[in-house]
């Protein structure tokens, strides 16, 4: 059995480069080509940084969240008799429009549960404004771009069975 | 004897040209070659650059050698491990044994495995030391337990694997102890032996650790 230690084999290493018994040039060329292809792939990946073409889904963590809507604190005034009045003029204006166009009064809530009314002019300007910015990112999606759209899409006229009965009688 | 007499005698002395040339005296036209105990084959696994390439397309025998001189000629002409692209493997296996655990010569054996994070010249030196120990048969037992050796170039760390033909524990422990010396491992470095029968199990645990 032929045995050689590591040192013996190292001593037999020729100082000059020998000619190999296979096509070493071709072998090295294959390896170089693979290295080039790998480096091209790496460059392409680094260029896109793992995003862009490779990841077309939008990342969820870029959302700014819901638009901030500023709600003014309801103003409560207490008079000398101890009556506390909730001064919420916007709500009143909305209510007055809903109830058959009749002019209603602002409802003041007291600390002891009583209410008292105070007249409010019909042409009250809303003190509170909703600041909603349309989000351009959602224009192409099924989500509404603007909160106003939600109101516009809301079904206002429901089915009124009594009205339908009445109309039948009229037909007859 | 006078100087003239010595000179005359020297002229008559002729050096015999019959002395065979070795690789050390004439690296181009040497006649004496140092035979190895076995014929060995160098295999190379090319990294896949196309999804259509299968394992059999990627694993190819490069060349074979039977003498020390042929071995050095190959080593001088192939890229060193640090020059190889990622996911490449060099395999040096005895005779016609394929570097696959399905090969009948390998199927009942396993491999001593070691992963190393270092790159560059250190990995080149350790690979060369491993090859010399394997082809010089100094790492093996008397009955040739070793089938081959593999170097895998990977991003997470290069892997050395010494493939054996059996799971004979005593023989494996002897080989493992020598392999640790070849790799210059300290007490912290652990070699792990995995039988090929567990090659399909990703969660397989080593059966021997040194």
């Amino acid at each position: 059995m032929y045995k050689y230690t590591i040192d013996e084999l190292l001593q037999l290493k020729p100082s000059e480069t020998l000619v190999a018994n296979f096509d070493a040039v071709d072998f090295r060329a294959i390896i170089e080509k693979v290295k080039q292809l790998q480096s091209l792939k790496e460059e392409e990946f680094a260029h896109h940084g793992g995003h862009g073409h490779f990841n077309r889904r939008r990342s969820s963590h870029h959302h700014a969240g819901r638009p901030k809507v500023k709600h003014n604190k309801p103003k409560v005034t207490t008079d000398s008799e101890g009556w506390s009045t909730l001064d919420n003029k916007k709500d009143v204006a909305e209510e007055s429009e809903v109830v058959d166009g009749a002019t209603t009064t602002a409802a003041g809530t007291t600390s002891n549960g009583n209410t008292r009314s105070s007249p409010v002019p019909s042409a009250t300007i809303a003190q509170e404004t909703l600041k909603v910015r349309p989000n351009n990112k959602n224009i192409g999606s099924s989500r509404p771009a603007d909160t106003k759209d939600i109101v516009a899409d809301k079904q206002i006229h429901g089915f009124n069975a009594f009205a339908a009965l009445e109309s039948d009688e009229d037909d007859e | 004897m006078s100087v003239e007499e010595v000179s005359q005698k020297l002229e008559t002395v002729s050096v015999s040209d019959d002395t065979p040339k070795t690789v050390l005296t004439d690296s181009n036209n040497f006649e004496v070659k140092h035979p190895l105990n076995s014929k060995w084959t160098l295999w190379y696994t090319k990294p896949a650059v196309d999804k259509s390439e299968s394992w059999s397309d990627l694993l190819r025998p490069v060349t074979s050698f039977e003498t020390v001189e042929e071995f050095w000629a190959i080593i001088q002409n192939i890229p060193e491990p640090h020059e190889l692209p990622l996911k490449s493997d060099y395999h040096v296996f005895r005779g016609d044994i394929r570097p696959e655990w399905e090969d009948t010569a390998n199927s009942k054996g396993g491999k001593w495995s070691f992963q190393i994070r270092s790159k560059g010249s250190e990995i080149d030196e350790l690979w060369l030391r491993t090859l010399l120990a394997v082809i010089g048969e100094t790492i093996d037992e008397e009955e040739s337990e070793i089938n081959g050796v593999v170097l895998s170039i990977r991003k997470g760390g290069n892997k050395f694997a010494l493939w054996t033909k059996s799971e004979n524990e005593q023989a494996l422990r002897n080989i493992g102890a020598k392999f640790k010396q070849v790799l210059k491992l300290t007490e912290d470095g652990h070699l792990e032996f995995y039988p090929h029968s567990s090659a399909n199990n990703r969660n397989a645990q080593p059966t021997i650790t040194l």
Side-chain angles (χ1 to χ4, degrees):
Chain A
M1 185 175 186
Y2 297 108
K3 280 198 174 191
Y4 304 90
T5 64
I6 291 176
D7 289 335
E8 284 170 346
L9 288 169
L10 284 170
Q11 282 172 10
L12 289 171
K13 184 182 179 181
S15 54
E16 291 176 35
T17 304
L18 304 179
V19 179
N21 58 357
F22 70 103
D23 190 352
V25 177
D26 189 39
F27 181 63
R28 293 187 82 99
I30 290 169
I31 288 174
E32 277 306 312
K33 195 177 176 186
V34 172
K35 282 169 84 172
Q36 280 178 2
L37 285 169
Q38 280 190 349
S39 61
L40 275 173
K41 273 189 180 178
E42 272 181 27
E43 269 179 34
E44 194 178 0
F45 187 77
H47 180 69
H48 294 294
H51 299 288
H53 296 311
F54 295 114
N55 186 9
R56 299 188 69 178
R57 298 190 71 177
R58 193 183 294 130
S59 173
S60 61
H61 63 256
H62 294 306
H63 287 304
R66 290 181 178 178
K68 283 181 183 174
V69 180
K70 189 183 175 187
H71 291 286
N72 288 334
K73 261 190 173 180
K75 194 179 178 184
V76 179
T77 52
T78 308
D79 60 16
S80 58
E81 294 174 1
W83 290 94
S84 295
T85 307
L86 177 66
D87 198 9
N88 196 351
K89 291 173 184 173
K90 184 174 182 290
D91 290 349
V92 172
E94 282 174 1
E95 277 180 24
S96 63
E97 284 171 16
V98 172
V99 184
D100 293 334
T103 52
T104 50
T105 57
T109 309
T110 62
S111 57
N112 57 7
N114 295 330
T115 57
R116 83 175 199 181
S117 56
S118 62
V120 171
S122 57
T124 306
I125 301 165
Q127 295 289 309
E128 198 175 290
T129 50
L130 264 180
K131 292 178 182 173
V132 181
R133 228 172 26 168
N135 187 355
N136 289 337
K137 284 163 84 174
N138 292 329
I139 283 175
S141 72
S142 59
R143 288 171 60 186
D146 198 322
T147 48
K148 287 171 190 168
D149 295 345
I150 302 169
V151 178
D153 294 344
K154 193 176 175 183
Q155 190 181 2
I156 296 166
H157 301 292
F159 176 71
N160 189 336
F162 292 107
L165 284 169
E166 282 171 14
S167 65
D168 286 344
E169 284 172 4
D170 291 343
D171 291 342
E172 286 173 6
Chain B
M1 192 182 285
S2 68
V3 175
E4 282 181 5
E5 283 173 341
V6 170
S7 300
Q8 280 175 358
K9 277 211 167 187
L10 270 175
E11 281 172 8
T12 57
V13 172
S14 61
V15 177
S16 171
D17 287 338
D18 296 339
T19 310
K21 294 171 187 172
T22 68
V23 71
L24 299 175
T25 55
D26 189 343
S27 60
N28 291 322
N29 301 307
F30 57 90
E31 294 152 0
V32 174
K33 290 185 179 180
H34 295 77
L36 295 169
N37 200 45
S38 292
K39 174 187 154 192
W40 297 87
T41 303
L42 169 71
W43 300 70
Y44 175 66
T45 307
K46 186 177 81 72
V49 289
D50 188 344
K51 284 180 182 175
S52 64
E53 292 176 306
S54 67
W55 164 254
S56 56
D57 296 329
L58 302 173
L59 176 67
R60 295 281 176 189
V62 179
T63 185
S64 295
F65 56 94
E66 290 178 276
T67 65
V68 177
E69 288 73 17
E70 286 170 356
F71 165 77
W72 280 119
I74 292 164
I75 290 296
Q76 287 174 331
N77 284 281
I78 60 172
E80 290 188 288
H82 80 271
E83 297 175 286
L84 292 178
L86 287 175
K87 297 182 183 175
S88 292
D89 297 328
Y90 269 151
H91 319 252
V92 175
F93 271 71
R94 201 184 290 275
D96 297 322
I97 300 172
R98 287 182 66 85
E100 295 169 330
W101 55 266
E102 298 94 333
D103 191 292
T104 49
N106 294 323
S107 58
K108 290 177 183 170
K111 61 179 180 184
W112 276 114
S113 181
F114 180 70
Q115 189 163 5
I116 187 166
R117 290 209 170 267
S118 63
K119 293 176 181 176
S121 59
E122 191 183 353
I123 202 83
D124 296 347
E125 188 205 342
L126 292 179
W127 172 238
L128 181 60
R129 279 176 61 83
T130 305
L131 282 181
L132 295 176
V134 169
I135 65 164
E137 310 276 3
T138 50
I139 198 172
D140 210 344
E141 296 288 277
E142 285 300 318
E143 291 185 13
S144 293
E145 271 291 323
I146 293 172
N147 281 350
V149 60
V150 183
L151 172 67
S152 304
I153 306 296
R154 298 293 182 271
K155 196 175 184 179
N158 300 316
K159 277 186 204 167
F160 287 88
L162 196 60
W163 287 41
T164 62
K165 72 175 182 186
S166 78
E167 292 184 55
N168 178 347
E169 186 166 346
Q170 191 51 53
L172 290 176
R173 286 187 178 276
N174 294 341
I175 291 168
K178 290 178 199 165
F179 193 28
K180 280 187 88 168
Q181 290 176 356
V182 171
L183 292 174
K184 298 179 177 176
L185 294 187
T186 56
E187 289 298 316
D188 301 334
H190 293 293
L191 280 184
E192 294 174 329
F193 184 82
Y194 295 90
H196 291 315
S197 54
S198 67
N200 278 334
N201 182 5
R202 287 199 164 204
N203 301 317
Q205 295 296 312
T207 53
I208 311 170
T209 304
L210 279 183

